[in-house]
Amino acid sequence: MISRLPRVALVAALACSLGLHWGLLQTVAWVGMLVSCAQDAPIGDAVVKTFDGKHPCPLCKQIAQGKRSERTSSIPLPGKKFEFSYSKAAFVFSAPIDYWEVHWPEQCFSALSRTPPTPPPRRLHA
């Protein structure tokens, strides 16, 4: 049980940093609106009234205001502009002083000179 607590806390922190708490709150608001609208009207009309966006409840308005305030940050983000100093450098490519000469065995090239089998192999049916 104790080892689960840090995991749950990490998942909750990650969910909040991604903004999933707004989705959870919006779902709670929609369920509440659907229940309250279904008491006065048929379920079809209650669903339309809940999700049309023309009749937001006070909780939906608070959620929208919270999303807007979260997007507009008053703290400027540092490091928007990267500045690199220019230093002229010359790249010179030269061959190494010590190297090994590689010889390919003759068997490698003999495989290339053979002709393909005739008739060609049949395709297997899978």
Side-chain angles (χ1 to χ4, degrees):
M1 181 68 176
I2 295 174
S3 66
R4 285 188 182 179
L5 184 63
R7 290 180 186 170
V8 170
L10 182 66
V11 169
L14 181 62
C16 287
S17 71
L18 293 175
L20 296 180
H21 59 288
W22 294 121
L24 179 67
L25 285 172
Q26 188 65 58
T27 303
V28 169
W30 282 333
V31 169
M33 285 178 62
L34 187 62
V35 168
S36 66
C37 291
Q39 291 175 352
D40 301 332
I43 190 71
D45 294 341
V47 169
V48 169
K49 188 175 180 182
T50 300
F51 295 109
D52 66 357
K54 297 177 184 174
H55 308 93
C57 68
L59 184 57
C60 291
K61 292 176 184 177
Q62 288 289 330
I63 293 169
Q65 182 182 2
K67 284 182 182 179
R68 276 193 304 272
S69 68
E70 192 174 83
R71 282 190 207 132
T72 57
S73 176
S74 61
I75 303 170
L77 297 175
K80 288 186 178 179
K81 183 179 178 183
F82 292 109
E83 295 182 13
F84 298 102
S85 62
Y86 175 74
S87 62
K88 189 174 181 179
F91 291 102
V92 178
F93 295 102
S94 61
I97 297 170
D98 297 327
Y99 65 92
W100 295 299
E101 193 171 329
V102 178
H103 294 286
W104 291 97
E106 291 296 322
Q107 297 88 357
C108 293
F109 297 116
S110 65
L112 297 175
S113 64
R114 285 186 272 160
T115 59
T118 52
R122 294 183 185 185
R123 190 171 67 184
L124 296 175
H125 297 288

